Amino acid sequence: MEKQAAKSNIMRYLFTGIITILPLWVTLNVLWIIFKLVSGVFTPVITPIFRIFFEPEESRFFGRLLSFFVTLFAVWLVGVVATNIAGRRLLVKLESLFVKVPILKEVYTAVRKLTVYIFTKRKAFKKVVLIEYPRRGVYSLGFVTATAMGEVQAKTKEEVVNVFLPSTPNPTTGFLLFVPQQDTIELEMSVDDAIKLIITGGIITPENDRRNIDKSLEDI
């Protein structure tokens, strides 16, 4: 009986350790991959310079570290150029060359749409709501972008809001719906959390992650 209890405790501690460490391990590995990708841009140029003053291992470390910050500076510099009228025209010309190449066009267009969505379009979302769509009794997650105005508002009986209904797993596409304010259920969920929920198809519910982990640990 004692042996069985000891074995049960060992398995419990093992699973508890996995649940506790795995998210941290995955997060750190993702950060490390991003660091290597960013720092690898200028490493072939910078590292040989450090070899003049440092040992090979030290020069590799300092070269990668400096390359990381140089890359960030280069990205910032591109942003400065892109906000300038002349620079914007140059980037438009370069973009027109990209979209003329068949395979490159598809990749570039998809990545650009997703990037623009993540860093700019989502700022237009005022709040997250539930609406009964595509039929009564079935709820969909949407983003209120504004209060309807003009002819749309004038020809409806109630106060209407503009709701963007994103698709899963690609939230850059979806539908624009004009929904009566009283038919929307406002959520406390942030826009970022809602985007995570949509992209993962409901697998990740960010606002409940901590509770789910605690419950999992209790159930072991």
Side-chain angles (χ1 to χ4, degrees):
M1 190 70 179
E2 291 181 358
K3 290 183 178 180
Q4 186 175 358
K7 184 178 179 181
S8 177
N9 285 333
I10 291 174
M11 295 303 295
R12 179 174 179 271
Y13 295 146
L14 180 62
F15 284 121
T16 302
I18 292 174
I19 293 173
T20 304
I21 293 175
L22 189 59
L24 178 61
W25 181 81
V26 172
T27 302
L28 292 176
N29 273 274
V30 169
L31 291 176
W32 175 242
I33 291 171
I34 293 173
F35 174 78
K36 288 199 296 184
L37 288 174
V38 175
S39 63
V41 177
F42 291 100
T43 298
V45 179
I46 296 176
T47 301
I49 299 175
F50 277 94
R51 285 176 182 167
I52 301 174
F53 307 99
F54 299 99
E55 295 296 325
E57 289 298 324
E58 294 176 334
S59 63
R60 190 179 298 111
F61 171 76
F62 287 116
R64 185 175 286 277
L65 189 62
L66 181 59
S67 176
F68 177 79
F69 290 107
V70 170
T71 303
L72 291 182
F73 175 76
V75 172
W76 173 82
L77 193 61
V78 170
V80 173
V81 173
T83 56
N84 181 276
I85 296 176
R88 192 178 299 126
R89 288 176 179 173
L90 176 62
L91 291 174
V92 169
K93 290 181 179 179
L94 290 174
E95 187 177 72
S96 65
L97 294 176
F98 276 105
V99 297
K100 288 180 181 178
V101 182
I103 298 178
L104 196 60
K105 173 185 177 181
E106 301 300 327
V107 176
Y108 177 80
T109 302
V111 174
R112 178 167 174 74
K113 284 182 178 179
L114 183 59
T115 304
V116 170
Y117 171 79
I118 292 174
F119 290 100
T120 61
K121 296 297 184 183
R122 67 185 180 87
K123 294 180 181 178
F125 298 154
K126 309 298 181 184
K127 54 188 176 182
V128 185
V129 295
L130 283 177
I131 58 172
E132 289 189 279
Y133 183 91
R135 64 173 177 80
R136 291 287 180 183
V138 176
Y139 294 89
S140 296
L141 203 63
F143 301 102
V144 174
T145 57
T147 300
M149 300 179 68
E151 186 176 2
V152 173
Q153 185 64 46
K155 294 190 175 181
T156 53
K157 297 178 180 179
E158 306 93 349
E159 181 182 355
V160 176
V161 293
N162 301 343
V163 177
F164 174 69
L165 187 69
S167 59
T168 301
N170 179 15
T172 60
T173 61
F175 303 95
L176 172 61
L177 305 177
F178 301 102
V179 184
Q181 175 71 53
Q182 62 186 22
D183 291 340
T184 63
I185 302 174
E186 186 174 346
L187 301 179
E188 296 181 4
M189 184 186 305
S190 68
V191 172
D192 287 337
D193 284 350
I195 291 173
K196 293 175 186 177
L197 182 63
I198 293 165
I199 291 177
T200 61
I203 296 175
I204 294 178
T205 52
E207 72 280 6
N208 289 326
D209 277 351
R210 185 69 257 169
R211 261 182 299 172
N212 290 339
I213 292 174
D214 292 340
K215 186 177 185 303
S216 298
L217 294 176
E218 291 174 1
D219 291 341
I220 293 177

